[in-house]
Amino acid sequence: MQVGTGKSILNGIAIGKIKVYKKKDTTISTAEVEDTAAEIARFEEAQAKAIEQQTALYEKALNEAGEDIAEVFNIHAMMLEDDDFVDAIKEIINGQKMCAEYAVKTAGNNQAAVFAAMDDPYLQARSADVLDIAQAMLDILQGTDTQSVQGTEPTILVAEDLAPSETVRLDKSLLLGFITREGSSNSHTAILARSMNIPALIQCKDITEEWDGQMAVIDGYNACVYVDPTPDLLKSLQKRQQEDRKKQALLQELKGKPNTTLDGKTINVYANIGGIGDVGAVQQNDAGGVGLFRSEFVYLNSKDYPTEDYQFEAYKQVVETLAPRKVIIRTCDIGADKTVDYMKLDHEENPALGYRAIRICLTRKDFFKTQLRAILRASAYGNVSVMFPMIISLRELRDAKATLEECRKELVAEGKKVGEVEIGTMIETPAAVMIADDLAEECDFFSIGTNDLTQYTCALDRQNAKLEPFVNPHHPAVLKMIQMTVEAGHRHNCWVGICGELGADTALTESFLRMGVDELSVNPKSVLPLRKMIRSIDLSK
């Protein structure tokens, strides 16, 4: 038996034969070409086809993994049209008189190296995306069909690395799990694995080609793989896998049941979504509503400012489909690690503390009003609430509310249908916590964004992997701020929810219930496990 170790992407067990996937090496000519114009034309044709491919992958990912994950391929399509990338390719063709394949490969490697050298782990992980789109064009230029990564039977896939496009193309029915030598937990491939519930191990340096065809077990709980396991170990891990499956089946039996503790306290359990692609998961996992609709994905999906009608249709489809369930739409939270070229935001040394979210909206009023009008129009088709992110002052909340009311009056004057909406405030900073009593008098609800609240309270950059040893997700200062927010909200008849990662942390569920938290909004797949935990708690003890 061999044991390989790495970094686990998903707690789970995968058992089956290994298939080692080795990418085919292709030779690229380094000879000078005579007709550079013909090579430019070949490149542009490959570029157009690659963009079409990314669009098709977007649709496949949308159906299998949801809007947030599918967005990867919209980003890929935009990368393929990036002026710097395209100019670099054309310059190599014209200036060095090289073929299109050489230019694409060289420009792709150079741009990937730029990302890999960055300090931000999220941006470092984008290196793999650049290599992915460059390979897509190379396959087209060389007339190489996308290789069949899998065979005809379910296997554990082993590879040096897997690009996001390769991961999405995989037949999920034949994929038991995967192991890669390279990779990052921030990579889109890792995100895809988690969203599709596939046990995976990355950064496993023990991989060898001799593993091909051997029986193996991925143990996601202990971040290792057992190749040719002993009969006793195999039997033990098969039992653990069966227990996991039974737990999943039992969770399905909780559908339709209330989120009520043993002593009778009920709490709302909602889901976080990025768009219409996530609505199916909301329904399948029986969430009571949407506690966080990340509207910025409407902007990230667009190559230019989305129009009012475009946004209205996006919101209306979600609201109408889920009616009468509540849908809380967070206004645009662009900035920090989420940017779009067309907004032309300046580079900032510290974007997490910079020009983002409500700060953009209140200084670009036409931009803000376009979204608010779309949300108000969608509110006529279901149960809509609106909440403002990154509020740190009473003035900001009042300005945002005034703009919302201005939009309402305009729409009524135009004869357009508008529904009633609750108004909420995100509590994401210590400043918001300290003035929570004042904010509560001006709104209907609070939603605590624990990811940013932890970042700003503890002065720990969420994106910096080097700081992981210093992160305490249960930091007493953060829990105290949550308690203070709940108490302030309730003093002014303002209900309080949590929509950050801590909401799904079942180790804290009882603490949140005892604090008086009214609602928890989590990833759709966490809804039923959270319901199970709530129904096991007795607050009377």
Side-chain angles (χ1 to χ4, degrees), residues 217-231:
V217 181
I218 296 176
D219 181 354
Y221 295 99
N222 294 301
C224 63
V225 55
Y226 303 103
V227 181
D228 190 22
T230 63

Side-chain angles (χ1 to χ4, degrees), residues 21-23 158-162 179-183 203 207:
Y21 167 51
K22 192 173 181 182
K23 295 182 183 180
V158 171
E160 284 294 306
D161 202 357
L162 287 171
I179 307 167
T180 61
R181 184 187 302 277
E182 306 299 331
Q203 299 174 20
I207 287 172

Side-chain angles (χ1 to χ4, degrees), residues 308 365-366 368-374 376-377 402-418:
E308 179 184 321
K365 198 167 181 183
D366 288 345
F368 193 28
K369 287 182 67 175
T370 297
Q371 180 177 36
L372 294 179
R373 284 173 57 94
L376 286 170
R377 287 171 60 191
T403 307
L404 181 69
E405 184 57 28
E406 183 181 332
C407 291
R408 175 186 292 280
K409 289 178 179 177
E410 288 176 358
L411 289 167
V412 170
E414 293 165 16
K416 290 186 170 68
K417 291 192 296 183
V418 177

Side-chain angles (χ1 to χ4, degrees), residues 6 12 166 258 386 460 467 473 480 508:
E166 289 172 322
V386 60
L460 286 168
L467 299 179
K480 178 65 175 174
L508 290 173

Side-chain angles (χ1 to χ4, degrees), residues 441-513:
E441 290 187 340
E442 295 280 341
C443 59
D444 301 300
F445 68 95
F446 287 153
S447 189
I448 303 172
T450 56
N451 301 348
D452 270 334
L453 183 59
T454 301
Q455 170 176 242
Y456 295 130
T457 300
C458 300
L460 286 168
D461 182 357
R462 292 167 57 182
Q463 305 294 330
N464 191 337
K466 294 178 183 177
L467 299 179
E468 285 187 15
F470 302 97
V471 175
N472 174 8
H474 299 175
H475 197 292
V478 176
L479 298 181
K480 178 65 175 174
M481 290 205 168
I482 294 171
Q483 177 76 72
M484 292 169 64
T485 302
V486 173
E487 291 172 356
H490 289 175
R491 278 194 291 269
H492 303 278
N493 199 31
C494 174
W495 66 264
V496 183
I498 293 174
C499 64
E501 290 296 313
L502 287 187
D505 187 339
T506 51
L508 290 173
T509 304
E510 183 170 345
S511 296
F512 291 150
L513 289 169

Side-chain angles (χ1 to χ4, degrees), residues 353-370:
L353 300 180
Y355 188 56
R356 58 175 294 196
I358 201 67
R359 297 166 186 175
I360 294 175
C361 292
L362 292 179
T363 52
R364 298 188 180 186
K365 198 167 181 183
D366 288 345
F367 164 82
F368 193 28
K369 287 182 67 175
T370 297

Side-chain angles (χ1 to χ4, degrees), residues 42-57:
R42 289 182 64 230
F43 156 66
E44 290 177 341
E45 183 180 358
Q47 178 194 29
K49 287 183 179 178
I51 291 171
E52 289 177 9
Q53 284 182 359
Q54 299 305 314
T55 302
L57 288 171

